[in-house]
Amino acid sequence: MTDHPDLTSIDWSARAAEITACTDAFVDGQWTPAHSGATFDVVNPATDAVIAAVAASDADDIDTAVAAAAGVFRFYGEVADKVPGELPPTADGSVAMVRRVPLGVVGAVVPWNFPLDIAAWKVAPALAAGNTVVLKPAEESPLSALRMAEIAVEAGIPPGVFNVVPGLGATAGRALGLHPDVQCLTFTGSTEVGKKFLSYSAESNMKQVWLECGGKSPNLVFADCADIDAAAEMACFGIFGNQGEVCSANSRLLVQREILDEFVAKVVDKAAAYRPGDPLDPASTTGAMVTRKHLDLVLGFVEKARGDGTVVTGGSRIGDTGCFMEPTVVVDLPPDSTVMTEEIFGPVLAVTAFDTEDEAVALANDTPYGLAASAWTSDLNRAMRMSEQLHAGTVSINTVDALSPGTPFGGFGASGFGSDLSVHAIEKFTGWKTTWIARG
């Protein structure tokens, strides 16, 4: 919208009304309804309006898609050997060739907060490695994945190489996880559901499962922080951006006690810049929570926070229409409070104080998650200690949630394993294969 500052919300709404979304599954290069004919509604959380009825695929549709992907892989994937190499001959003259090869059919399951470009992170590396893909988008937001299928057609991807099968997690998602012809599965979403996909692998063919799950990322602000205003602004960005519906959101703010009051005041002041509203309204700076159910869940966490600490700003739903919530800051929370320990996935910032560096690290690492962490300090030695001691896949110093397509993104513990982005994202969709050729 910033590219068209002259357009109003009415203009944007008119443009949006002109869009015709694909609503069928995309299988073997064809748009097709679910075998059962069933559909499910996709609701705009900003208006509560139903915007599409999308094919509710189930196990039969997953079977069809996987069969198409497996069939084309036999002709497409096997020619995509990666990293060929030849080892020196052995004493008897035998030679070994070692290379990475594609795995076969990759099942991909992405969550509802993935826009089109980020969903491509999960698909592009698998395709680049020579695999074929069956993508099951979240039922709350299947339209962007179906748009990706349209783009795939325009790009000339052969039929069956990339398939999109919308459906419910309990049916289509489970069927994909259990399918014996899926050789690898990548999932982004909650830790709870990620564990289900691990169990599906154990129950079926022991397929590789790559998980990028939840987080409870800490943001540490030391008293020697060189720019308190910048730190406060980025602290807000780290939790209120995208309504806090980000796996690596900096949802825990740990502040050295001597600057606590000053810093919290700045955070509260800067939080006012986040104005939830309809994304088609240029005045909005953040959007709606994904569903009414999720909004109620997040508001329930805030009610728990009122019993454990003090809500200094926000904490309520906005309006009667849509799923909008005020940016919320809670202080005086004990380290073991629910809001400090559980992933909320909403615009709720939990604040606690620390006195020493060792205490800060202990508080930051007191979580089963390990996706991201941030630290603000002007002491280079401390910055390096934080990079070593914070248990997280990505540690950002004097910024929050730093990200680049050229660097790996992944975590530890309950945040899952396996990296997205960078060349390492391609490696996880391949396996080593050795060919020995004996001397004749």
Side-chain angles (χ1 to χ4, degrees):
M1 290 185 185
T2 56
D3 294 334
H4 303 278
D6 55 320
L7 297 182
T8 67
S9 59
I10 295 176
D11 297 325
W12 286 112
S13 296
R15 289 193 172 195
E18 295 173 356
I19 298 174
T20 301
C22 293
T23 57
D24 285 336
F26 183 71
V27 176
D28 203 15
Q30 301 293 322
W31 296 100
T32 177
H35 280 90
S36 66
T39 63
F40 63 93
D41 289 340
V42 178
V43 177
N44 181 350
T47 63
D48 297 329
V50 175
I51 55 177
V54 173
S57 305
D58 57 22
D60 288 340
D61 302 283
I62 292 293
D63 282 343
T64 302
V66 172
V72 75
F73 177 74
R74 289 193 292 269
F75 300 97
Y76 164 76
E78 292 295 344
V79 302
D81 290 359
K82 300 295 175 183
V83 198
E86 184 174 304
L87 299 182
T90 61
D92 66 357
S94 299
V95 175
M97 293 185 297
V98 181
R99 62 201 190 278
R100 297 193 74 100
V101 297
L103 299 174
V105 179
V106 172
V109 181
V110 297
W112 38 257
N113 64 320
F114 264 28
L116 180 63
D117 56 340
I118 301 180
W121 293 358
K122 313 299 292 191
V123 172
L127 293 174
N131 301 283
T132 54
V133 172
V134 176
L135 172 64
K136 205 296 284 187
E139 54 262 35
E140 295 87 352
S141 58
L143 299 182
S144 58
L146 293 170
R147 173 58 183 148
M148 193 189 306
E150 288 186 290
I151 295 172
V153 173
E154 296 168 3
I157 291 182
V161 171
F162 176 55
N163 308 271
V164 180
V165 187
L168 305 184
T171 50
R174 182 175 184 274
L176 190 60
L178 288 169
H179 204 289
D181 292 332
V182 173
Q183 303 303 319
C184 177
L185 193 137
T186 177
F187 168 78
T188 300
S190 72
T191 298
E192 177 185 6
V193 177
K195 291 179 179 179
K196 290 184 178 181
F197 280 102
L198 288 175
S199 70
Y200 296 155
S201 172
E203 292 174 38
S204 56
N205 60 339
M206 293 181 65
K207 59 177 63 67
Q208 294 184 34
V209 179
W210 299 105
L211 302 175
E212 197 264 276
C213 296
K216 193 69 177 174
S217 301
N219 183 11
L220 287 63
V221 182
F222 291 91
D224 66 356
C225 171
D227 191 337
I228 295 292
D229 284 300
E233 184 172 343
M234 291 302 289
C236 289
F237 171 78
I239 183 60
F240 302 138
N242 203 48
Q243 309 82 241
E245 295 172 325
V246 179
C247 53
S248 56
N250 284 221
S251 54
R252 291 185 295 150
L253 177 61
L254 313 181
V255 186
Q256 201 153 24
R257 196 175 305 277
E258 57 204 88
I259 62 168
L260 177 65
D261 292 341
E262 175 190 6
F263 194 80
V264 169
K266 290 182 179 293
V267 167
V268 169
D269 180 63
K270 295 180 185 298
Y274 289 82
R275 299 182 298 276
D278 192 324
L280 298 178
D281 183 350
S284 302
T285 57
T286 57
M289 307 297 289
V290 66
T291 63
R292 181 67 58 83
K293 179 181 178 181
H294 186 63
L295 171 63
D296 290 341
L297 177 67
V298 175
L299 291 172
F301 274 104
V302 175
E303 290 308 307
K304 294 178 183 178
R306 296 186 194 278
D308 295 335
T310 304
V311 177
V312 294
T313 190
S316 299
R317 180 185 175 189
I318 300 174
D320 297 323
T321 302
C323 304
F324 302 105
M325 180 177 172
E326 296 173 329
T328 302
V329 178
V330 188
V331 300
D332 302 328
L333 287 165
D336 61 349
S337 68
T338 300
V339 179
M340 284 293 293
T341 59
E342 295 188 22
E343 184 180 36
I344 296 175
F345 223 66
V348 180
L349 181 62
V351 185
T352 194
F354 66 86
D355 293 299
T356 67
E357 182 179 309
D358 287 345
E359 182 187 6
V361 172
L363 287 169
N365 289 341
D366 187 20
T367 173
Y369 301 106
L371 190 54
S374 298
W376 296 79
T377 177
S378 58
D379 184 334
L380 180 59
N381 290 326
R382 172 178 282 158
M384 296 309 297
R385 288 194 297 272
M386 291 301 100
S387 72
E388 294 295 327
Q389 296 176 20
L390 292 174
H391 186 66
T394 298
V395 177
S396 303
I397 303 297
N398 295 330
T399 187
V400 301
D401 212 13
L403 193 68
S404 165
T407 57
F409 178 79
F412 310 124
S415 292
F417 42 84
S419 295
D420 294 323
L421 303 178
S422 79
V423 294
H424 302 288
I426 299 177
E427 291 174 358
K428 69 186 181 186
F429 297 114
T430 64
W432 285 108
K433 185 173 186 176
T434 301
T435 301
W436 280 97
I437 302 176
R439 181 175 55 185

